[in-house]
Amino acid sequence: MTKLDGLSVKREIVGRRVKDSERLALLSGFVRACFSVVRRGGECDLCLECRTDFVRDYVAALMMEQFKITPSARGGVSRISGIDGNGGAEIEVVSPAEKNALVYVGSDKLLRALNVINPNADGFELAPMNSGAFGEAGCYVRGLFLGCGSISVPAAENADKQRSGGYHLEFSFTGNDAASDLCGILGEYDIYANVTLRAEKFVVYVKGGESVSDCLALIGAEKTVLKLNETMAVLAVKGDVTRRNNCDLANMNRAIDASVGIINAIDAIDRKVGLKTLDKKLYEAAIARRENPDSSIGSLAALLGISKSGLKHRLDKIAEIAADADKEE
């Protein structure tokens, strides 16, 4: 079965045809997830950190279609100021070409057009996330996933080795406001998400097969949803088989313990007072149990021509007699 991970989901997403009505929403989500502002002297450029080549090429094509612009060819070491709503610290990065980054001239204009910063504010002010700003909520979250999403799904073929594993989808942000906004957006589609702080990142996570499947459906990863449902079905069947085997094993162990216990009781009666002291029905049951130690209660009852409850009653009586004999010593 094909492995399900973040890269496979992103490859499916970039393989989808993007309608004109979807493009702006997808770009808005992607840019919001991974943008920084590159300051070069008195100019500010938009830097988009793309984690893979195919995502970089995909976003570059969409930017060209939407705004008729191409990435800047500028390179060299730069200072990037992280924009997280809380005055992110500056960090040094190498040439954008070496970091799978896209750099565009005119950050302010682009960010306003994408509704990332408030178009009505005088300065640089982040706008709240609004999945409906361009009328395509699913495409907006799709863009977010391309920029900062990942997924973890247990492998069906290793189900017996991953009993503690689970279904996990997440988005990683530098600011808590963005994380909270996304939780609200997912909640509108009855997808429960929570936020945790991990390695100075605010991580929005969705857990559970059904919730992860719903989130994948929202971002348009239909093929992955089908694979995920197949994985869930395989794991469910394997889990049911394992539970049944464990139950059968437990029942067998209890039957063995009971058989050993009653045989010990029979041997104790035989040593102390002799089996002939038992009445005929108990004697027959004792001899049958001793001669057939591995037989089930059902098989033993059929051999004696009585019901299972009748045999169990006789064996319980034998155990009681053995216990009374121990007390008398």
Side-chain angles (χ1 to χ4, degrees):
M1 187 177 293
T2 304
K3 181 181 179 181
L4 300 182
D5 56 20
L7 282 179
S8 65
V9 176
K10 291 177 182 180
R11 288 189 183 279
E12 179 183 355
I13 288 174
V14 301
R16 287 177 55 102
R17 177 180 173 274
V18 180
K19 301 177 183 177
D20 292 343
S21 60
E22 299 175 335
R23 192 186 306 122
L24 198 57
L26 192 153
L27 283 173
S28 179
F30 179 83
V31 171
R32 184 59 179 266
C34 60
F35 85 98
S36 297
V37 172
V38 182
R39 292 188 171 89
R40 304 173 187 274
E43 298 181 5
C44 293
D45 296 341
L46 176 66
C47 177
L48 304 178
E49 289 290 343
C50 306
R51 299 182 181 181
T52 58
D53 292 344
F54 68 88
V55 170
R56 178 197 60 203
D57 296 342
Y58 177 73
V59 172
L62 292 182
M63 291 289 281
M64 181 63 190
E65 292 174 3
Q66 184 66 35
F67 299 110
K68 304 298 185 277
I69 57 176
T70 57
S72 168
R74 301 176 184 181
V77 176
S78 309
R79 302 292 292 183
I80 292 183
S81 178
I83 307 300
D84 60 3
N86 298 308
E90 289 190 336
I91 57 173
E92 187 175 272
V93 297
V94 296
S95 169
E98 297 176 15
K99 297 288 289 183
N100 280 328
L102 298 172
V103 177
Y104 293 94
V105 177
S107 63
D108 187 80
K109 181 179 178 181
L110 285 171
L111 292 174
R112 290 181 190 277
L114 291 167
N115 205 49
V116 175
I117 62 174
N118 193 333
N120 300 317
D122 294 333
F124 195 100
E125 178 185 310
L126 281 174
M129 275 194 189
N130 184 358
S131 64
F134 305 109
E136 296 289 344
C139 291
Y140 184 82
V141 181
R142 187 187 309 169
L144 288 173
F145 187 86
L146 278 178
C148 64
S150 63
I151 184 175
S152 174
V153 174
E157 59 270 23
N158 296 324
D160 56 337
K161 300 178 182 179
Q162 297 191 10
R163 294 174 185 173
S164 61
Y167 306 87
H168 188 97
L169 185 147
E170 66 181 41
F171 303 80
S172 180
F173 298 100
T174 57
N176 188 37
D177 290 344
S180 298
D181 288 345
L182 178 57
C183 285
I185 292 170
L186 295 177
E188 295 174 5
Y189 295 89
D190 297 324
I191 301 171
Y192 177 75
N194 212 334
V195 181
T196 187
L197 184 62
R198 184 196 308 151
E200 298 183 353
K201 293 283 188 177
F202 292 89
V203 178
V204 175
Y205 63 90
V206 176
K207 297 183 74 67
E210 291 186 6
S211 294
V212 170
S213 179
D214 289 344
C215 196
L216 290 170
L218 176 64
I219 65 177
E222 289 92 354
K223 293 179 181 178
T224 304
V225 171
L226 293 176
K227 293 175 183 177
L228 176 61
N229 289 340
E230 180 183 353
T231 298
M232 291 169 61
V234 171
L235 289 174
V237 170
K238 286 190 173 183
D240 186 55
V241 170
T242 299
R243 284 190 294 272
R244 289 189 180 185
N245 288 340
N246 289 341
C247 182
D248 291 342
L249 181 60
N251 288 337
M252 184 172 64
N253 288 337
R254 283 194 293 270
I256 292 173
D257 290 342
S259 177
V260 171
I262 195 64
I263 289 174
N264 288 339
I266 293 169
D267 290 343
I269 294 173
D270 197 13
R271 287 194 310 271
K272 295 172 183 177
V273 295
L275 292 180
K276 291 294 186 178
T277 60
L278 299 175
D279 65 38
K280 182 180 179 181
K281 292 181 179 180
L282 296 183
Y283 177 79
E284 290 176 350
I287 295 300
R289 178 77 282 179
R290 176 184 271 180
E291 293 178 352
N292 301 276
D294 298 328
S295 296
S296 66
I297 289 291
S299 299
L300 208 57
L303 179 65
L304 293 171
I306 59 176
S307 66
K308 289 193 294 184
S309 60
L311 176 58
K312 186 176 182 308
H313 175 74
R314 294 183 189 183
L315 295 178
D316 288 343
K317 185 63 177 177
I318 291 172
E320 184 180 333
I321 292 171
D324 290 341
D326 285 338
K327 293 178 182 178
E328 293 175 359
E329 288 188 343

